Amino acid sequence: MWVLGIDTSCDDTGVGLVRDGEVVVNLVASQVRLHEAFGGVVPELASREHLKALPLLVERALAEAGLRPKDLDLVAATRGPGLIGALLVGYTFAKGMAFALERPFYAIHHLEGHIAAAWPEGLTPPFLALVASGGHTHLYEVLDLGRYRLLGATRDDAAGEAFDKVARLLGLGFPGGPEVERLAEEAEEAIPFPVPLRGQEGYDFSFSGLKTKALHLVEKGLPKAALAKGFQEAAIAHLAEVVLKAAKDTGHRVLLVAGGVAANRALQERFKEAGLKVYFPPKGLSQDNGAMIALAAWRRYKGGFPPSPLSLGATAYWPLEEA
Ligand code: KG4
Ligand code: ZN
């Protein structure tokens, strides 16, 4: 059974093909260079670029898998959350394909896609899922597919966003996560950063204090590698402390870590030492992509969820608990 998954929620055009739950093709066309000069994603530019890239990417994905469009059994796309103009491109394209091919269509929540990317076959809920990306830092209790309880979220910046901003302060490129990670590896010693929200009641996250601290240290002219290492250590310690507190309080022993930040090796090491059973997405599936959307649709199909009506629109705002 072949599933086509499309994600155009932000500035990456993602097209994936999944066969019986296995990722066969996963193509991502990044718009990073396009938006670079503006210092952030320009929504209208992103939409136009998706329009140009998407048909070509779908054609290429099908060619790589040796498929014709009518070989597809299911079509899925990200319905939200994200930039509405960007979402609409992939979502409408996918609905058009499903209609023309007379195949079921699945409207997928972007974060369910991230979670599906880290969710190994055979693992049954409940478990915890941390989604840490450029736009989200959310901790969920996954009670079942389609049943999520939000335990905590960031009060300010997302984890990936903090990496990106600190990278910029350090004069590094975008996306900042991998750059900060590389620079941190060059440092012998870390400049200590205070770990945010220690001793809090709930399971919230906060990264803006770390960013401000980094700014002050850069202004003082302190060594950049030690600074990068200190920031990274505190960010990871913060994520780990909140998640471990939630694991202790809820009794869950299984954790999925998903989203772009899950690719960070120091973070992976930290969570592996935590005494929980931890799963990360395979290489290439942590950042935004289409295969994760196909994986989520495949799970929904197998789980007996009905396909989505083609009359359902895309939406910029959509809590995962309502997916
Ligand atoms: O999931 P993703 O591709 O897009 C969003 O949905 O936002 O996540 C991108 C974010 C960026 O902020 C990027 O800096 C961060 O993930 N990231 C990392 C690493 N690789 C990507 N952060 C820390 N360490 C990394 N190795
Ligand atoms: Zn994402």
Side-chain angles (χ1 to χ4, degrees):
M1 171 142 208
W2 284 98
V3 186
L4 170 72
I6 295 176
D7 181 79
T8 60
S9 57
C10 190
D11 60 340
D12 288 322
T13 315
V15 174
L17 285 167
V18 163
R19 180 185 209 172
D20 300 331
E22 291 287 323
V23 178
V24 178
V25 179
N26 194 23
L27 304 178
V28 179
S30 169
Q31 301 180 6
V32 162
R33 301 297 158 239
L34 178 72
H35 301 283
E36 210 167 35
F38 304 96
V41 176
V42 184
E44 185 54 30
L45 277 184
S47 313
R48 289 175 196 218
E49 197 64 16
H50 286 310
L51 265 180
K52 278 194 269 177
L54 184 58
L56 301 171
L57 224 54
V58 169
E59 228 173 75
R60 217 177 91 203
L62 290 170
E64 281 189 19
L67 299 180
R68 290 154 303 176
K70 68 178 171 56
D71 296 324
L72 296 170
D73 299 292
L74 283 186
V75 181
T78 304
R79 176 180 176 231
L83 301 170
I84 190 64
L87 283 166
L88 274 169
V89 176
Y91 189 71
T92 311
F93 188 97
K95 283 207 280 191
M97 276 190 82
F99 180 76
L101 296 167
E102 298 179 332
R103 296 292 187 271
F105 170 70
Y106 281 83
I108 301 297
H109 192 290
H110 184 73
L111 297 189
E112 185 169 276
H114 275 302
I115 290 169
W119 188 339
E121 280 290 323
L123 174 68
T124 40
F127 46 74
L128 294 177
L130 171 69
V131 184
S133 68
H136 303 270
T137 310
H138 284 54
L139 178 63
Y140 293 100
E141 216 176 349
V142 179
L143 304 168
D144 206 342
L145 180 68
R147 280 185 62 217
Y148 307 96
R149 195 161 79 90
L150 181 67
L151 294 177
T154 183
R155 294 181 184 174
D156 38 61
D157 293 344
E161 189 182 0
F163 272 90
D164 294 335
K165 287 177 177 169
V166 168
R168 194 194 283 193
L169 288 173
L170 294 171
L172 304 170
F174 185 88
E179 302 278 331
V180 170
E181 182 174 10
R182 209 168 301 130
L183 186 59
E185 279 166 8
E186 289 175 15
E188 298 277 330
E189 299 268 336
I191 298 172
F193 279 58
V195 178
L197 302 182
R198 270 209 169 134
Q200 66 166 317
E201 287 282 316
Y203 312 104
D204 284 353
F205 301 92
S206 170
F207 293 93
S208 65
L210 294 178
K211 184 186 63 188
T212 310
K213 170 95 180 168
L215 173 64
H216 291 152
L217 296 176
V218 168
E219 283 170 348
K220 278 192 192 162
L222 292 183
K224 289 185 175 178
L227 204 161
K229 192 175 169 75
F231 160 76
Q232 178 173 278
E233 281 181 0
I236 292 170
H238 176 38
L239 289 166
E241 281 179 14
V242 175
V243 171
L244 293 181
K245 179 171 176 278
K248 189 161 161 261
D249 294 351
T250 59
H252 292 299
R253 307 306 301 158
V254 179
L255 166 71
L256 266 50
V257 185
V261 182
N264 188 289
R265 288 182 300 273
L267 175 142
Q268 295 198 0
E269 289 308 314
R270 176 67 191 84
F271 276 100
K272 279 179 196 160
E273 293 163 0
L276 301 174
K277 188 93 192 96
V278 191
Y279 297 94
F280 301 96
K283 212 171 161 36
L285 286 186
S286 49
Q287 89 280 22
D288 287 353
N289 66 87
M292 71 185 197
I293 301 305
L295 285 170
W298 162 248
R299 280 197 176 271
R300 284 206 165 233
Y301 174 78
K302 272 198 314 177
F305 285 74
S308 314
L310 294 178
S311 56
L312 187 70
T315 173
Y317 174 78
W318 187 16
L320 180 60
E321 303 92 296
E322 290 166 20

